[in-house]
Amino acid sequence: MALVTSKEMFKKAYEGGYAIGAFNVNNMEIIQGITEAAKETNAPLILQVSAGARKYANHTYLMKLIEAAVEETGLPICVHLDHGDTFELCKSCIDGGFTSVMIDGSHHSFEENIKLTKQVVEYAHAKGVTVEGELGRLAGIEDAVNVSEEDAAFTDPDQVEEFVQKTGVDSLAIAIGTSHGAFKFKGDAKLRFDILEEIQKRLPGFPIVLHGASSVMPEYVEMINKFGGEMPGAKGVPEDMLRKAASMAVCKINIDSDLRLALTGTIRQYFAQNPSHFDPRQYLGPARASIKEIVKHKIVNVLGCDGKA
Ligand SMILES: [Zn+2]
């Protein structure tokens, strides 16, 4: 199996009423933890790379690690650019072997967003690469993307048909109340399923993407707080809401914060219990195991894509 685009994955996910997990990768342990979980559950997989991850780890290192994962697992894996903000960045990832890119023009006007997205789609499709666009603005912080709560905006269903038709995108990220980071809701968690339903009606059969969809799992937040961290009030999207979204038009669910929390909590606990250890394998090994455990949980209990590879 070679790297694949998201096209076939999304088609099957839409028809099957499940979603594909898109997990952010930054280093070898994270890639191994995620791909081992997908292999054990026989799940299709999207590994996504942000501009920040590419800067941190280097494009070639990440590509080679992902190629190794394909070889080791034999799974259909899509390698996707998360939040590309310029044509040049998308082009660089497409030329460098990515099978899917996101162009996030959501900070531009509707017309500018269409223009930029269309430009990326034309280049990407000529090379057989799929493109995700975004309409609406999620609150929160993720790498270079930083949107205050006042600037956040739900996706307007009246705009989706025109956007998809004029740009030719393969999937669309929408804002219905999820947000980036580990502090998603001050009060009760609430997603606008009415907006998702309306969009699904306007775009029958079209794959929708949810960003900022970590559940901020309490066991890992507690672990961080117990071993010297401070994350009071951290809160995520309840998993039953994500399951419901996955059964609807949502075909891709982005999960990053949960993996960061699991990795950090495990390392904090390790050092609290073994203060004199200094072999990186001793703490990165358990961190990798915790990534694997959380990804398996997401695949089976949230996404429903186990056995679908
Ligand atoms: Zn995002």
Side-chain angles (χ1 to χ4, degrees):
M1 182 66 77
L3 287 169
V4 298
T5 73
S6 58
K7 199 156 197 82
E8 207 47 34
M9 282 184 187
F10 287 168
K11 190 171 178 284
K12 286 187 195 161
Y14 197 102
E15 285 162 5
Y18 61 90
I20 315 290
F23 304 99
N24 288 71
V25 297
N26 296 286
N27 69 10
M28 183 186 78
E29 282 79 6
I30 294 174
I31 291 173
Q32 288 178 333
I34 297 167
T35 51
E36 282 171 19
K39 188 178 183 178
E40 279 184 24
T41 52
N42 194 32
L45 188 60
I46 298 172
L47 295 178
Q48 56 185 20
V49 175
S50 66
R54 213 161 157 258
K55 237 180 239 156
Y56 172 80
N58 173 300
H59 179 94
T60 309
Y61 277 87
L62 288 173
M63 277 308 287
K64 297 293 176 189
L65 285 167
I66 293 169
E67 282 168 17
V70 171
E71 198 176 312
E72 280 296 311
T73 62
L75 289 173
I77 295 178
C78 167
V79 53
H80 174 78
L81 169 66
D82 193 21
H83 290 288
D85 59 349
T86 61
F87 172 78
E88 289 70 29
L89 174 59
C90 292
K91 179 179 182 296
S92 166
C93 288
I94 294 164
D95 293 345
F98 280 33
T99 53
S100 178
V101 293
M102 173 191 195
I103 176 68
D104 178 359
S106 62
H107 47 294
H108 294 299
S109 69
F110 183 61
E111 288 72 26
E112 277 300 310
N113 189 357
I114 288 178
K115 200 174 143 200
L116 176 62
T117 305
K118 185 169 186 268
Q119 188 190 8
V120 172
V121 168
E122 280 170 0
Y123 189 80
H125 282 185
K127 309 242 171 188
V129 168
T130 44
V131 180
E132 173 185 326
E134 177 164 336
L135 262 185
R137 305 197 69 191
L138 269 70
I141 302 174
E142 185 188 43
D143 287 354
V145 183
N146 184 347
V147 179
S148 70
E149 234 163 276
E150 304 81 70
D151 289 334
F154 293 123
T155 304
D156 178 358
D158 283 340
Q159 292 185 328
V160 296
E161 288 159 286
E162 186 182 348
F163 186 81
V164 168
Q165 195 207 352
K166 286 193 172 160
T167 59
V169 279
D170 303 283
S171 63
L172 184 65
I174 61 167
I176 57 167
T178 62
S179 63
H180 292 124
F183 300 88
K184 299 189 191 297
F185 299 98
K186 286 204 180 85
D188 289 341
K190 194 169 179 287
L191 292 193
R192 291 288 303 273
F193 282 102
D194 57 321
I195 295 178
L196 174 58
E197 259 169 42
E198 190 54 39
I199 291 171
Q200 187 166 357
K201 235 182 264 169
R202 309 272 182 114
L203 298 171
F206 190 81
I208 299 300
V209 177
L210 280 190
H211 282 241
S214 282
S215 297
V216 187
M217 297 173 78
E219 55 262 51
Y220 290 111
V221 175
E222 270 165 35
M223 207 187 230
I224 286 172
N225 289 338
K226 186 175 167 192
F227 296 107
E230 278 183 38
M231 299 192 72
K235 196 186 255 183
V237 187
E239 292 186 334
D240 57 340
M241 288 189 188
L242 296 171
R243 265 200 303 274
K244 181 176 170 188
S247 74
M248 299 168 69
V250 171
C251 294
K252 172 174 178 271
I253 294 185
N254 290 7
I255 299 169
D256 186 20
S257 293
D258 275 334
L259 276 60
R260 295 183 181 198
L261 291 167
L263 184 137
T264 303
T266 305
I267 292 175
R268 275 190 182 276
Q269 174 177 271
Y270 187 85
F271 280 122
Q273 292 167 349
N274 304 280
S276 63
H277 286 188
F278 59 91
D279 179 343
R281 292 170 296 188
Q282 289 177 315
Y283 56 87
L284 290 176
R288 176 174 59 192
S290 70
I291 295 262
K292 179 178 170 180
E293 192 183 333
I294 196 162
V295 170
K296 270 173 89 168
H297 165 77
K298 297 287 179 186
I299 286 172
V300 174
N301 299 298
V302 180
L303 302 157
C305 61
D306 49 313
K308 311 289 188 189

